[in-house]
Amino acid sequence: MWTNFFKLRLFCCLLAVLMVVVLVINVTQVEYLDHETVSATFIDSSGQFVSSQVTRISRNPYCGYDQQILSSQERMEEDSLLAALHGQVPDVGPVPFVKSTDPSSSYFVILNSAAFFKVGSQLEVLVHVQDFQRKPKKYGGDYLQARIHSPKLQAGAVGRVVDYQNGFYKVFFTLLWPGKVKVSVSLVHPSEGIRVLQHLQEDKPDRVYFKSLFRSGRISETTECNVCLPGNLPLCNFTDLYTGEPWFCFKPKKLPCSSRITHFKGGYLKGLLTAAESAFFQSGVNIKMPINSSGPDWVTVIPRRIKETNNLELSQSSGTFPSGYYYKDQWRPRKFKMRQFNDPDNITECLQRKVVHLFGDSTIRQWFEYLTTFVPDLVEFNLGSPKNVGPFLAVDQKHNILLKYRCHGPPIRFTTVFSSELRYVANELNGIVGGKNTVVAIAVWSHFSTFPLEVYIRRLRNIRRAVVRLLDRSPKTVVVIRTANAQELGPEVSLFNSDWYNFQLDTILRRMFSGVGVYLVDAWEMTLAHYLPHKLHPDEVIVKNQLDMFLSFVCPLET
């Protein structure tokens, strides 16, 4: 009996050891998968996502960003974004100008042409790009923008562009209003220019440089600053203690680092391109040039019957692309009913007893300027801040409204910002109690266009953590994110603030704040869909629509 008992114990011990070995092997495999494979999200040129599996891509070593300590989830997210965006540009080697994309030789054709379409129908357009020798291109990577519009109705919407990587592109439109609807397609940059922009982004992130003034008594010195600096000269380390956001200046020769007074934009590097590369960036040739149709460029759209319209509205509630459209110069989001705040009293009623915080770049400073100009009771309090820099403050004492604007921390290309006013958005959010009478709006994008994407991802990651903490302690706080927008481009501006750069930032922002519990003002679509020329600071009619959407989140229609 004891012999059988001993054999049973020995069997159980061996079984236990075997189970431990199997467990260790499984854990090792999981860790291997976690470190070597990520679930990537490929993004087409409209910002739509398609999941796939990819091996982890290499990171840009700029400023040691490849050595960041990230959780497995954060690393997976970053790999997903980088793989998706880096995978859009084909590597075909050096290409002479005559073999690059020529918008005047390229053309588009409406595929599913019909006598008429109904509102809600899909319109498909095929774009075929050719080079300056009028030969078909065999690869993709061109950056196209497309929209449908009806000028008499002041209506417009953007299209979703799909790159087939063979010189052909498809654009998908949803027809959202009745009438004569025209199709417009434009080449923002040829794929050959995109490769140059990608090279600058990865290898020349310091092409915008910054400076700081140090002063003590009668002695003053100015030195260069940036996210990181080359060489072995002594540095002043101004890395933020809470967020870990890096920022350095060359140490003054005679003054301590603590004597820093101001931050300002130093300038833009010149001579970044060779003569061959410059040919890919010519106004009137291959920057934001129209691509013409080889046939009709318009369709007729008729209204749906009432029953069909109700079904259409139900099908749109899931938030399909596009997010909205213009009709009679008013933006109409497809997810919810947007209010029109056409009277200052409407805005005052909405913001009564509220504190509104605006954080970010000059595109959200426009909101402050619009509100203080349009609402007479909202009076700006003079803080003595530099013009166009801030911080700014406006008060309506009668209705107990407080409106604040503060720029985000470096990098920021403003003229002069006092170093004491260089605040990171994440730190500012951590100081807000929040609640039902607290509103926060954030726009951080334009000043990150010259840096590797890892720099922007890190900044958004810090802001997102702070937003999540704010909503955890005060769930009724309204947090709104303003997206990037398209702008006017020339040969020089393209190298620093191209729509291609900003499209990447916009894509990252949308993805990283998806599901966080914030509202999105889609400034990207609101500029692309409008008939006015693209501007970094959009015209008032577009800003007004942005504010109407923002205020509709703060004070939604009662249902």
Side-chain angles (χ1 to χ4, degrees), residues 143 145-147 157-158 288 486 499 523-531 534:
Y143 181 39
Q145 291 174 349
R147 71 184 183 107
V158 301
K288 284 205 173 181
D499 281 0
W524 187 261
E525 285 195 22
M526 294 170 87
T527 49
L528 287 182
H530 204 271
Y531 55 83
H534 300 162

Side-chain angles (χ1 to χ4, degrees), residues 463-476:
I463 294 174
R464 184 175 62 185
R465 287 176 185 146
V467 167
V468 169
R469 287 193 291 265
L470 173 60
L471 293 176
D472 279 345
R473 65 178 176 266
S474 302
K476 292 186 178 180

Side-chain angles (χ1 to χ4, degrees), residues 350-548:
C350 173
L351 297 181
Q352 191 166 4
R353 295 184 297 278
K354 287 182 171 56
V355 178
V356 181
H357 303 267
L358 306 178
F359 297 114
D361 53 40
S362 56
T363 61
I364 205 165
R365 189 187 69 221
Q366 279 190 288
W367 290 14
F368 182 93
E369 294 164 349
Y370 178 91
L371 289 170
T372 53
T373 301
F374 187 66
V375 183
D377 291 337
L378 200 53
V379 180
E380 184 173 354
F381 187 84
N382 187 3
L383 297 175
S385 301
K387 184 181 179 182
N388 296 335
V389 174
F392 300 126
L393 179 72
V395 179
D396 179 349
Q397 290 185 323
K398 181 180 178 182
H399 301 98
N400 198 17
I401 301 173
L402 182 61
L403 176 66
K404 300 179 179 183
Y405 165 76
R406 179 177 290 280
C407 68
H408 63 72
I412 191 158
R413 305 175 205 154
F414 283 0
T415 49
T416 301
V417 185
F418 290 111
S419 57
S420 59
E421 297 293 354
L422 286 174
R423 313 277 182 85
Y424 290 93
V425 173
N427 293 339
E428 294 297 299
L429 293 174
N430 288 335
I432 296 175
V433 175
K436 65 178 182 179
N437 289 323
T438 302
V439 181
V440 174
I442 303 168
V444 177
W445 60 277
S446 180
H447 300 259
F448 289 81
S449 57
T450 56
F451 292 95
L453 297 176
E454 291 89 337
V455 177
Y456 187 60
I457 292 172
R458 177 174 188 158
R459 182 60 56 89
L460 290 192
R461 190 184 293 123
N462 279 318
I463 294 174
R464 184 175 62 185
R465 287 176 185 146
V467 167
V468 169
R469 287 193 291 265
L470 173 60
L471 293 176
D472 279 345
R473 65 178 176 266
S474 302
K476 292 186 178 180
T477 306
V478 175
V479 180
V480 179
I481 307 291
R482 182 206 185 276
T483 73
N485 60 260
Q487 69 171 91
E488 68 277 18
L489 295 179
E492 186 174 15
V493 175
S494 295
L495 307 184
F496 302 95
N497 253 45
S498 167
D499 281 0
W500 182 75
Y501 288 140
N502 294 329
F503 166 71
Q504 291 184 309
L505 302 182
D506 185 71
T507 300
I508 290 170
L509 182 144
R510 292 169 189 268
R511 177 70 186 218
M512 291 187 67
F513 279 93
S514 175
V516 175
V518 301
Y519 299 100
L520 208 68
V521 172
D522 199 337
W524 187 261
E525 285 195 22
M526 294 170 87
T527 49
L528 287 182
H530 204 271
Y531 55 83
L532 285 173
H534 300 162
K535 293 182 180 179
L536 175 61
H537 301 110
D539 285 338
E540 185 175 300
V541 62
I542 299 176
V543 176
K544 195 264 184 192
N545 277 288
Q546 293 174 3
L547 263 299
D548 283 347

Side-chain angles (χ1 to χ4, degrees), residues 67-363:
Q67 302 299 320
Q68 289 184 86
I69 299 175
L70 303 175
S71 68
S72 59
Q73 187 174 1
E74 288 172 339
R75 190 165 293 279
M76 183 180 294
E77 176 186 54
E78 187 167 295
D79 284 346
S80 168
L81 291 166
L82 295 177
L85 292 167
H86 287 168
Q88 294 178 338
V89 186
D91 185 9
V92 295
V95 176
F97 172 72
V98 293
K99 292 186 177 297
S100 67
T101 305
D102 176 15
S104 64
S105 298
S106 305
Y107 62 90
F108 72 85
V109 60
I110 296 174
L111 290 179
N112 54 338
S113 57
F116 59 84
F117 294 81
K118 290 185 178 181
V119 170
S121 300
Q122 294 293 306
L123 182 67
E124 294 183 16
V125 171
L126 183 69
V127 183
H128 190 196
V129 296
Q130 300 186 137
D131 61 24
F132 284 88
Q133 296 176 325
R134 306 191 75 84
K135 294 180 180 179
K137 295 282 292 290
K138 301 299 184 182
Y139 55 90
D142 302 293
Y143 181 39
L144 308 179
Q145 291 174 349
R147 71 184 183 107
I148 49 174
H149 54 109
S150 299
K152 290 184 178 179
L153 298 173
Q154 294 178 310
V158 301
R160 183 168 67 92
V161 181
V162 176
D163 183 353
Y164 289 96
Q165 297 295 326
N166 59 2
F168 287 92
Y169 302 78
K170 259 192 184 180
V171 188
F172 298 88
F173 297 101
T174 301
L175 301 169
L176 296 165
W177 64 88
K180 182 178 179 180
V181 177
K182 180 179 172 63
V183 176
S184 292
V185 180
S186 62
L187 174 76
V188 182
H189 295 299
S191 58
E192 297 76 18
I194 294 296
R195 282 197 296 277
V196 175
L197 294 179
Q198 190 176 49
H199 163 72
L200 292 175
Q201 185 182 49
E202 295 174 352
D203 300 331
K204 295 285 185 180
D206 57 349
R207 60 192 183 280
V208 175
Y209 57 95
F210 306 87
K211 293 188 175 183
S212 272
L213 171 67
F214 296 79
R215 187 172 62 223
S216 180
R218 295 182 178 181
I219 301 175
S220 62
E221 295 182 59
T222 299
T223 70
E224 187 175 335
C225 308
N226 218 315
V227 174
C228 65
L229 294 166
N232 298 314
L233 293 174
L235 299 175
C236 290
N237 186 351
F238 296 113
T239 297
D240 184 65
L241 296 176
Y242 299 98
T243 62
E245 293 285 356
W247 193 256
F248 298 89
C249 296
F250 286 122
K251 190 179 184 302
K253 295 179 180 179
K254 299 180 180 180
L255 295 173
C257 295
S258 58
S259 63
R260 183 174 63 151
I261 302 297
T262 60
H263 161 96
F264 57 95
K265 178 184 68 178
Y268 300 88
L269 293 181
K270 306 293 184 180
L272 293 168
L273 305 183
T274 64
E277 291 171 335
S278 297
F280 301 135
F281 300 92
Q282 300 182 62
S283 296
V285 177
N286 50 17
I287 298 178
K288 284 205 173 181
M289 291 298 293
I291 293 176
N292 294 320
S293 171
S294 65
D297 62 354
W298 58 274
V299 296
T300 299
V301 183
I302 62 173
R304 285 180 175 264
R305 296 191 298 270
I306 295 177
K307 184 177 180 180
E308 291 177 321
T309 301
N310 293 336
N311 292 335
L312 176 65
E313 290 176 350
L314 287 173
S315 67
Q316 291 175 355
S317 62
S318 61
T320 54
F321 185 89
S323 69
Y325 62 100
Y326 282 106
Y327 190 77
K328 296 183 178 178
D329 241 359
Q330 294 179 352
W331 184 251
R332 296 187 176 185
R334 298 176 69 197
K335 280 188 175 181
F336 72 103
K337 184 74 172 177
M338 190 176 89
R339 297 178 59 186
Q340 299 297 320
F341 292 83
N342 298 324
D343 190 287
D345 290 341
N346 301 144
I347 298 178
T348 299
E349 182 182 0
C350 173
L351 297 181
Q352 191 166 4
R353 295 184 297 278
K354 287 182 171 56
V355 178
V356 181
H357 303 267
L358 306 178
F359 297 114
D361 53 40
S362 56
T363 61

